[in-house]
Every structure is written in C-alpha cells, then in structure tokens.
Amino acid sequence: METNDKLLKLLRLMDEPEAMTEAQLQELLSDEEVRKAYDVMADCKKLYQKPQQKPLSAKWLQLGQRFRIAAVFLGAVLFCGLAWAIIPRIISSHTDSPQSAQVSTPLPRSGGEESSVRFDDVRLDSILTVVSAHYGKAVSFRDEEAKGMKFIMTWDPDMPLSDFIDGLNLFDGLSLTLQRDTIFVETTEDKESI
C-alpha cells in the first residue's frame, strides 16, 4: 500500500476511530512516515481539544490589580458622597432632640421688662427646654410621644410655674406634674366611664 493511501486511512481513523481494528492500526503505524504523521495529528488534536491559556505577564497582573483598587476606591468615594448627602436629612427628620424654639420677640412692658413669649408650632420638648431653664427645673419625659407634640402658645415668664403646668394639662392626652425640681411629662389615654 502506498504512503498516500496509508495517510488517507489514517485520516479516516482519526475521524472515526471505531472503523478500524487494533491490528489494522498497528499495520498502518509500522510505516515510519505514517507514524510521524499520526504523532503530529494526535498532538494537534490535543491542542485543539484543550486550548492552552497563556500565562499573563506581570505587567497585565499589576494593571488588573490597579483597576480593582481604583474600582474599590471609586465605590468608596461614591458611597461616602451618598452618605454625606442622605444621612443628615434622615437624622434631621427623625431627631429626638429638641428643635430650636421658634420664639417671637417678647413685647417690652413699661419699665423695660418683657411681657410674654410666643411659641409658633414648636415641639413640646423645645418649649419645656426654654421654660424649665427660666424656672431652674429639669424636665423628664416618661414617653417619647409627648416630646413631638407641637403647640402654638404664649407664655408669660412672670406667671408661676404651677399656672403654666395647669395650662398645659388642659390639653387632652397630656399630663405634666412637678415633683421637687423636675417637671414630669407623659401622655394619657382618655378613658370613657362605664
């Protein structure tokens, strides 16, 4: 058999390995040229089936690492920027600290004394901060709900503290008591009589 015919049989064998017996394969491979061709084809088939990954150079690895570092840094900057913009708004809308009292300027009396202070839509904790400082008393809220109540009212700094407390106690759902040097504030439930 000629070498060309043997090579053609070898090519068919590579496409359809079950078409030839082991004895026929050994007979084909006994020819030196066919053996070399078989080895080359087998190597090519291995290369085709498992493409080799080229190792990345050190420069590419460093560049990839720099891109990752830059991406992490950019993400952190973006996150901080968003936090800087959003967190103060969240805190200011949910704060439990007294707001600065919106107080109108007291009207002067004859003799230069102040007559009254007007609170316009001011939270109770802010009002009591101003009033308790004037009378030298502390304030204690027994529940958080009372702090957020808003009032429009006028306060005369010359009136006794007990009158001021009695005036606030006229509001439904609110109870103020003075015990020693502390004003205690709590909300109350209106209960119907049976």
Side-chain angles (χ1 to χ4, degrees):
M1 198 185 283
E2 284 184 36
T3 306
N4 286 339
D5 290 337
K6 290 181 181 180
L7 287 173
L8 285 173
K9 280 186 179 183
L10 183 62
L11 286 172
R12 272 189 239 132
L13 172 69
M14 295 298 275
D15 286 337
E16 302 171 9
E18 66 276 348
M20 201 175 272
T21 65
E22 188 69 30
Q24 290 172 328
L25 178 62
Q26 292 302 325
E27 181 184 328
L28 274 175
L29 295 178
S30 63
D31 187 339
E32 184 71 28
E33 286 183 37
V34 174
R35 178 73 159 172
K36 287 180 184 178
Y38 176 78
D39 290 340
V40 168
M41 285 190 254
D43 289 342
C44 287
K45 191 171 184 177
K46 286 180 188 176
L47 289 174
Y48 179 75
Q49 288 176 349
K50 293 184 181 179
Q52 286 184 341
Q53 291 183 341
K54 295 181 181 178
L56 296 174
S57 68
K59 286 183 180 180
W60 281 106
L61 290 175
Q62 287 176 347
L63 186 60
Q65 188 176 19
R66 286 181 183 162
F67 278 128
R68 276 185 244 124
I69 291 170
V72 168
F73 179 74
L74 184 60
V77 167
L78 259 156
F79 179 75
C80 290
L82 286 173
W84 184 262
I86 293 172
I87 289 176
R89 292 183 185 181
I90 293 171
I91 290 172
S92 68
S93 67
H94 297 297
T95 184
D96 287 334
S97 62
Q99 68 187 34
S100 58
Q102 299 168 357
V103 181
S104 65
T105 309
L107 303 172
R109 288 187 182 162
S110 58
E113 296 178 21
E114 297 176 354
S115 64
S116 63
V117 178
R118 179 154 174 82
F119 297 97
D120 292 318
D121 197 28
V122 178
R123 288 175 35 157
L124 182 59
D125 55 351
S126 296
I127 293 170
L128 290 178
T129 299
V130 173
V131 172
S132 64
H134 175 76
Y135 292 110
K137 305 292 182 191
V139 178
S140 175
F141 286 88
R142 292 196 171 145
D143 55 52
E144 294 295 313
E145 187 179 337
K147 285 183 177 182
M149 294 177 148
K150 291 189 174 185
F151 291 88
I152 298 173
M153 63 183 297
T154 303
W155 166 60
D156 182 0
D158 292 333
M159 82 168 39
L161 179 58
S162 59
D163 290 349
F164 175 78
I165 290 174
D166 290 342
L168 282 176
N169 281 335
L170 294 175
F171 289 96
D172 289 336
L174 186 63
S175 173
L176 280 78
T177 55
L178 178 63
Q179 297 174 359
R180 296 189 182 168
D181 289 334
T182 304
I183 302 170
F184 291 96
V185 185
E186 62 186 331
T187 55
T188 59
E189 293 182 25
D190 293 335
K191 297 182 181 177
E192 294 180 43
S193 55
I194 298 176

